Amino acid sequence: NGPKNGYPWCASFYCWLFVKSFGVEQARKMLYLPVNSLAAGCDYALGYYKKNGAFYSAPKAGDQIFFSSSRGGVAHTGLVEKVTASTVYTIEGNTSTSAGVIANGGGVCRKSYSIGYSRIIGYGRPKYDAESTPVVQPSNRIMTVADIQSWLNKDYAAGLVVDNDFGTLTKKAIVKAVQKN
C-alpha cells in the first residue's frame, strides 16, 4: 500500500512483529488487513479492528494498544506485553524511554501505563487461534537504534553504519525489511 519513507513507523513495527512471527499471509489475516496492505497506519489499523468486532476497552497480552494525541485522534500504537490489575506493559516502536506517549521517538522501548491512562483509546485484538499464540520473551534490555541497525545489516545486508542515528538510511532500511516480509 505504498512506501512508508518519512512517515511514522509505530504501526509498521507492530505489523513487522507479526510478519516475523507468523509470516505475511497469516499476519494479514490475524490483523484483519486487506489484501495489498501491510503496516497499516494507526487510523487504518484501528478501523480494521472495529470493522471486524475486535476492538476492546480491556487489554490482553498480545493486543495492539492505541493512543490518542494530546489534541485527540489516533497518534501511536504498540504491542501489549503484559497486563496486571492496574498496569498495561507495552513494547512500542518509534518511541523513547521518556514517560507517556512519545510518538516518533525513534526507538523500540518497553513502557508501562496505568490501565486508566487518559490517552489510551483501546485495544485491537488480533485473530489468534490455537496455532498462533503470541510469544513474548521478557527482557529488561531496551533496544537502541544501533541494535536495529545491526540486525538490518545482519538479516537484510542493509550496509548501514551502526551509529545509533535514526536517519533517512535507517528508516529506508526498516521500510524495505517490512516490505520484503
Side-chain angles (χ1 to χ4, degrees), residues 71-101:
R71 296 181 306 269
V74 186
H76 189 61
T77 191
L79 170 71
V80 175
E81 179 179 26
K82 178 175 99 171
V83 181
T84 66
S86 61
T87 307
V88 59
Y89 297 86
T90 64
I91 300 171
E92 300 167 33
N94 202 17
T95 191
S96 78
T97 56
S98 298
V101 176

Tab-separated table of all heavy atoms in Angstrom, residues 71-101:
chain	number	residue	atom	x	y	z
A	71	ARG	N	-4.112	16.274	21.341
A	71	ARG	CA	-5.214	17.034	20.731
A	71	ARG	C	-6.357	16.125	20.281
A	71	ARG	O	-7.318	16.586	19.675
A	71	ARG	CB	-4.682	17.823	19.539
A	71	ARG	CG	-3.655	18.872	19.912
A	71	ARG	CD	-3.173	19.653	18.704
A	71	ARG	NE	-2.671	18.822	17.626
A	71	ARG	CZ	-1.403	18.446	17.476
A	71	ARG	NH1	-0.497	18.823	18.343
A	71	ARG	NH2	-1.044	17.696	16.454
A	72	GLY	N	-6.251	14.821	20.520
A	72	GLY	CA	-7.269	13.881	20.069
A	72	GLY	C	-6.826	13.182	18.795
A	72	GLY	O	-5.821	13.555	18.191
A	73	GLY	N	-7.552	12.177	18.385
A	73	GLY	CA	-7.176	11.404	17.205
A	73	GLY	C	-6.150	10.342	17.555
A	73	GLY	O	-5.512	10.395	18.597
A	74	VAL	N	-5.978	9.370	16.685
A	74	VAL	CA	-5.044	8.281	16.921
A	74	VAL	C	-3.636	8.765	16.612
A	74	VAL	O	-3.379	9.304	15.543
A	74	VAL	CB	-5.375	7.055	16.044
A	74	VAL	CG1	-4.481	5.888	16.406
A	74	VAL	CG2	-6.824	6.662	16.192
A	75	ALA	N	-2.708	8.563	17.553
A	75	ALA	CA	-1.364	9.090	17.387
A	75	ALA	C	-0.265	8.051	17.461
A	75	ALA	O	0.814	8.266	16.925
A	75	ALA	CB	-1.090	10.154	18.450
A	76	HIS	N	-0.529	6.922	18.119
A	76	HIS	CA	0.563	5.982	18.390
A	76	HIS	C	-0.022	4.613	18.719
A	76	HIS	O	-1.179	4.495	19.121
A	76	HIS	CB	1.398	6.510	19.566
A	76	HIS	CG	2.657	5.753	19.810
A	76	HIS	ND1	3.670	5.645	18.880
A	76	HIS	CD2	3.071	5.048	20.896
A	76	HIS	CE1	4.661	4.917	19.389
A	76	HIS	NE2	4.309	4.542	20.605
A	77	THR	N	0.817	3.582	18.562
A	77	THR	CA	0.375	2.220	18.831
A	77	THR	C	1.558	1.379	19.304
A	77	THR	O	2.710	1.763	19.159
A	77	THR	CB	-0.281	1.597	17.571
A	77	THR	OG1	-0.916	0.384	17.923
A	77	THR	CG2	0.730	1.376	16.459
A	78	GLY	N	1.247	0.220	19.866
A	78	GLY	CA	2.268	-0.705	20.319
A	78	GLY	C	1.665	-2.057	20.649
A	78	GLY	O	0.464	-2.281	20.483
A	79	LEU	N	2.506	-2.955	21.122
A	79	LEU	CA	2.116	-4.314	21.494
A	79	LEU	C	1.926	-4.397	23.001
A	79	LEU	O	2.798	-3.965	23.760
A	79	LEU	CB	3.222	-5.292	21.071
A	79	LEU	CG	3.112	-6.724	21.590
A	79	LEU	CD1	1.970	-7.461	20.896
A	79	LEU	CD2	4.424	-7.477	21.374
A	80	VAL	N	0.812	-4.954	23.441
A	80	VAL	CA	0.605	-5.210	24.868
A	80	VAL	C	1.394	-6.464	25.219
A	80	VAL	O	1.130	-7.546	24.694
A	80	VAL	CB	-0.885	-5.389	25.212
A	80	VAL	CG1	-1.049	-5.784	26.675
A	80	VAL	CG2	-1.663	-4.122	24.899
A	81	GLU	N	2.371	-6.306	26.096
A	81	GLU	CA	3.212	-7.422	26.509
A	81	GLU	C	2.633	-8.155	27.711
A	81	GLU	O	2.654	-9.379	27.786
A	81	GLU	CB	4.616	-6.905	26.843
A	81	GLU	CG	5.559	-7.979	27.308
A	81	GLU	CD	6.952	-7.450	27.605
A	81	GLU	OE1	7.103	-6.258	27.935
A	81	GLU	OE2	7.898	-8.247	27.499
A	82	LYS	N	2.105	-7.379	28.672
A	82	LYS	CA	1.621	-7.961	29.920
A	82	LYS	C	0.596	-7.011	30.512
A	82	LYS	O	0.657	-5.802	30.301
A	82	LYS	CB	2.814	-8.133	30.869
A	82	LYS	CG	2.502	-8.688	32.229
A	82	LYS	CD	3.777	-8.934	33.016
A	82	LYS	CE	4.036	-7.796	33.969
A	82	LYS	NZ	5.127	-8.058	34.919
A	83	VAL	N	-0.349	-7.563	31.283
A	83	VAL	CA	-1.370	-6.761	31.936
A	83	VAL	C	-1.499	-7.212	33.383
A	83	VAL	O	-1.547	-8.411	33.661
A	83	VAL	CB	-2.739	-6.922	31.233
A	83	VAL	CG1	-3.803	-6.067	31.912
A	83	VAL	CG2	-2.644	-6.594	29.755
A	84	THR	N	-1.539	-6.241	34.308
A	84	THR	CA	-1.862	-6.518	35.707
A	84	THR	C	-3.163	-5.778	36.017
A	84	THR	O	-3.721	-5.112	35.142
A	84	THR	CB	-0.746	-6.051	36.662
A	84	THR	OG1	-0.667	-4.624	36.621
A	84	THR	CG2	0.595	-6.678	36.295
A	85	ALA	N	-3.621	-5.867	37.250
A	85	ALA	CA	-4.864	-5.203	37.621
A	85	ALA	C	-4.797	-3.691	37.423
A	85	ALA	O	-5.814	-3.049	37.153
A	85	ALA	CB	-5.208	-5.520	39.075
A	86	SER	N	-3.610	-3.125	37.525
A	86	SER	CA	-3.504	-1.662	37.455
A	86	SER	C	-2.649	-1.130	36.300
A	86	SER	O	-2.661	0.068	36.028
A	86	SER	CB	-2.929	-1.127	38.765
A	86	SER	OG	-1.634	-1.675	38.972
A	87	THR	N	-1.905	-2.008	35.618
A	87	THR	CA	-0.913	-1.533	34.652
A	87	THR	C	-0.930	-2.360	33.374
A	87	THR	O	-1.108	-3.571	33.416
A	87	THR	CB	0.498	-1.597	35.276
A	87	THR	OG1	0.480	-0.907	36.528
A	87	THR	CG2	1.549	-0.979	34.373
A	88	VAL	N	-0.733	-1.662	32.253
A	88	VAL	CA	-0.540	-2.338	30.970
A	88	VAL	C	0.910	-2.080	30.558
A	88	VAL	O	1.387	-0.949	30.591
A	88	VAL	CB	-1.554	-1.867	29.895
A	88	VAL	CG1	-1.473	-0.385	29.629
A	88	VAL	CG2	-1.393	-2.645	28.605
A	89	TYR	N	1.619	-3.155	30.211
A	89	TYR	CA	3.023	-3.105	29.816
A	89	TYR	C	3.091	-3.292	28.303
A	89	TYR	O	2.429	-4.170	27.760
A	89	TYR	CB	3.824	-4.198	30.524
A	89	TYR	CG	3.837	-4.017	32.023
A	89	TYR	CD1	2.816	-4.521	32.816
A	89	TYR	CD2	4.871	-3.319	32.636
A	89	TYR	CE1	2.818	-4.343	34.195
A	89	TYR	CE2	4.890	-3.136	34.016
A	89	TYR	CZ	3.861	-3.646	34.793
A	89	TYR	OH	3.872	-3.453	36.146
A	90	THR	N	3.894	-2.470	27.647
A	90	THR	CA	3.926	-2.474	26.189
A	90	THR	C	5.341	-2.582	25.643
A	90	THR	O	6.317	-2.327	26.349
A	90	THR	CB	3.310	-1.173	25.635
A	90	THR	OG1	4.121	-0.069	26.048
A	90	THR	CG2	1.885	-0.985	26.084
A	91	ILE	N	5.407	-2.948	24.366
A	91	ILE	CA	6.618	-2.827	23.563
A	91	ILE	C	6.200	-1.960	22.385
A	91	ILE	O	5.250	-2.297	21.673
A	91	ILE	CB	7.140	-4.190	23.081
A	91	ILE	CG1	7.464	-5.097	24.269
A	91	ILE	CG2	8.360	-4.004	22.178
A	91	ILE	CD1	7.768	-6.531	23.889
A	92	GLU	N	6.893	-0.830	22.202
A	92	GLU	CA	6.489	0.127	21.188
A	92	GLU	C	7.645	0.460	20.254
A	92	GLU	O	8.786	0.578	20.696
A	92	GLU	CB	6.001	1.425	21.844
A	92	GLU	CG	4.818	1.207	22.768
A	92	GLU	CD	4.528	2.408	23.648
A	92	GLU	OE1	4.754	3.558	23.213
A	92	GLU	OE2	4.076	2.195	24.786
A	93	GLY	N	7.329	0.612	19.005
A	93	GLY	CA	8.292	1.085	18.022
A	93	GLY	C	8.099	2.572	17.815
A	93	GLY	O	6.999	3.099	17.977
A	94	ASN	N	9.165	3.260	17.466
A	94	ASN	CA	9.138	4.698	17.196
A	94	ASN	C	8.702	5.502	18.415
A	94	ASN	O	7.852	6.367	18.341
A	94	ASN	CB	8.260	5.021	15.994
A	94	ASN	CG	8.624	6.356	15.371
A	94	ASN	OD1	9.692	6.897	15.618
A	94	ASN	ND2	7.729	6.883	14.563
A	95	THR	N	9.302	5.178	19.554
A	95	THR	CA	9.026	5.895	20.795
A	95	THR	C	10.349	6.170	21.487
A	95	THR	O	11.413	6.009	20.902
A	95	THR	CB	8.063	5.088	21.697
A	95	THR	OG1	7.623	5.923	22.775
A	95	THR	CG2	8.701	3.817	22.234
A	96	SER	N	10.292	6.594	22.727
A	96	SER	CA	11.514	6.812	23.503
A	96	SER	C	11.285	6.299	24.915
A	96	SER	O	10.182	5.894	25.269
A	96	SER	CB	11.885	8.300	23.541
A	96	SER	OG	11.071	8.995	24.466
A	97	THR	N	12.316	6.348	25.730
A	97	THR	CA	12.208	5.875	27.114
A	97	THR	C	11.502	6.885	28.009
A	97	THR	O	11.192	6.570	29.149
A	97	THR	CB	13.600	5.574	27.704
A	97	THR	OG1	14.406	6.753	27.595
A	97	THR	CG2	14.259	4.423	26.972
A	98	SER	N	11.222	8.080	27.515
A	98	SER	CA	10.515	9.082	28.318
A	98	SER	C	9.126	8.586	28.674
A	98	SER	O	8.496	7.837	27.916
A	98	SER	CB	10.402	10.398	27.555
A	98	SER	OG	11.676	10.925	27.273
A	99	ALA	N	8.630	9.024	29.817
A	99	ALA	CA	7.304	8.614	30.282
A	99	ALA	C	6.214	9.139	29.354
A	99	ALA	O	6.364	10.181	28.723
A	99	ALA	CB	7.068	9.127	31.697
A	100	GLY	N	5.115	8.410	29.272
A	100	GLY	CA	3.969	8.825	28.482
A	100	GLY	C	4.112	8.451	27.023
A	100	GLY	O	5.059	7.804	26.607
A	101	VAL	N	3.131	8.880	26.250
A	101	VAL	CA	3.102	8.581	24.826
A	101	VAL	C	4.101	9.488	24.115
A	101	VAL	O	3.979	10.711	24.158
A	101	VAL	CB	1.694	8.796	24.232
A	101	VAL	CG1	1.701	8.575	22.728
A	101	VAL	CG2	0.689	7.880	24.903
